[in-house]
Every structure is written in structure tokens, then in C-alpha cells.
Amino acid sequence: MEYLQLFNDNKEVINEKIDRKLKRTLNNDKHFMISLVFIENSKNEFLIQFTSKEKNSVFAITGGHVKYGDNSLDTAIRETEEEMSIKLDKEDLKYVNTTKDKYCYCDIYYVKKDIKLSNLKLEEKEVESVHWMRLDEINELIENGKFREKNILPLKQVLEYRST
């Protein structure tokens, strides 16, 4: 059983948790959180995962749920290492923004880093493959409904962030 950290309407940690399987039963004043990590290389390509069948076989950004007792930055670092064996330091990650929907906060992080894909060890239960993709390739995935819908707004925010 995996428990998620809960947050109030002001994105403040509350001393409560919820079973991950029950996260969509939350009311409007309690929220769980996910962290997303956008990794861009020096060729302006983004590291995109193709998720496992268990994770709906979709192209997506690295990320995960904030577990009880954790925070979004530590989650971003942990998930990147668990899913793709990429070790990031807190100083590597730049906070971009937070989005919110009915149930969930989403903290968005960005890092500029060249990574050799052949050196990665993927978590097979979550990630089938990884690819460096140009923005036009990602936009084509979005247009064809093959990119995780909840990653589209965060991607737009990362693009705005890196252009400033």
C-alpha cells in the first residue's frame, strides 16, 4: 500500500495521507501532488518516456506522486533515478511552476543536461523506452493523442520558462 502526502488549498502540507488507490475520492480542500521533471539536452531535445503497458503505453514526461512525508523536489529526484537511473542533484533542478486541478497539484521542474540513453537502466514496470525528441515531434504526438494529456500544460509552461 502506497500513501500519498496531502496538501491544503494553499499548497501547504497537512499531516494527513491517503492510499494512492483512493486519491480520486478527495474533496475540494485536500489535494495530492505529483512532480514532473523536464530534461532538455544541448540540442534542445526533451527526454520523453514511452510508458509500459501497466502505465497505459503513452509518451510522457518523467514524474511521480509525492509520497507521505516527502516533498516535490525530493520526489522529482527519486522518480528520475528510479525510472531511468538518472541521478540529479537539487541544484540541477529549476522550479518552473505549479498547476492545480480538482484533486492534484503538479510541481514542474526543468533541467538542462546531456544524457547518453545507452547508459540508462529503465524501470520496466513503468518505462518501456526513452527518446530524445524535438518539439515538433512532441507536438505531433500531442496532435495524435499519443502524449499524456496531463503533461501538455506543464510542457507549455516549461517552454515559456526556458524562453525567459
Side-chain angles (χ1 to χ4, degrees), residues 6 42 44 59 80 94 103-104 107 154:
L6 291 181
S42 58
N44 298 319
F59 290 93
T80 305
K94 308 296 184 235
Y103 303 104
C104 178
D107 275 0

Side-chain angles (χ1 to χ4, degrees), residues 5-151:
Q5 180 66 57
L6 291 181
F7 300 81
N8 66 18
D9 278 333
N10 297 318
K11 198 182 150 191
E12 298 166 331
V13 173
I14 57 177
N15 192 25
E16 293 184 41
K17 60 187 172 186
I18 190 167
D19 184 329
R20 181 179 173 157
K21 295 175 187 166
L22 301 175
K23 67 185 182 182
R24 296 290 179 198
T25 65
L26 290 170
N27 57 30
N28 289 335
D29 62 342
K30 295 179 184 173
H31 313 277
F32 64 94
M33 183 182 291
I34 62 171
S35 292
L36 293 179
V37 181
F38 287 80
I39 301 172
E40 184 179 21
N41 67 17
S42 58
K43 297 177 186 175
N44 298 319
E45 299 166 319
F46 286 94
L47 189 58
I48 304 296
Q49 301 178 353
F50 185 72
T51 63
S52 66
K53 289 179 183 172
E54 292 133 2
K55 298 291 181 177
N56 301 322
S57 297
V58 66
F59 290 93
I61 297 301
T62 303
H65 292 79
V66 176
K67 295 179 183 177
Y68 183 69
D70 271 357
N71 61 54
S72 70
L73 181 58
D74 290 338
T75 297
I77 291 168
R78 183 189 72 245
E79 291 290 337
T80 305
E81 186 166 1
E82 283 179 5
E83 293 178 7
M84 300 181 298
S85 70
I86 297 171
K87 294 181 191 275
L88 298 174
D89 295 320
K90 289 181 180 186
E91 301 78 37
D92 293 334
L93 292 161
K94 308 296 184 235
Y95 171 78
V96 174
N97 199 5
T98 300
T99 62
K100 179 183 171 194
D101 66 20
K102 181 178 179 182
Y103 303 104
C104 178
Y105 286 106
C106 175
D107 275 0
I108 305 162
Y109 294 93
Y110 169 81
V111 62
K112 189 86 168 181
K113 189 173 183 92
D114 288 317
I115 297 165
K116 190 171 181 178
L117 298 185
S118 60
N119 291 342
L120 302 183
K121 183 178 185 293
L122 306 180
E123 173 56 52
E124 294 176 11
K125 289 183 179 180
E126 300 214 16
V127 182
E128 186 175 305
S129 60
V130 292
H131 313 271
W132 285 114
M133 292 189 169
R134 297 181 318 270
L135 192 53
D136 64 312
E137 294 171 307
I138 297 168
N139 284 329
E140 186 175 324
L141 292 173
I142 292 169
E143 289 172 19
N144 292 320
K146 295 180 179 181
F147 193 78
R148 182 172 283 150
E149 188 175 334
K150 295 253 182 204
N151 291 175

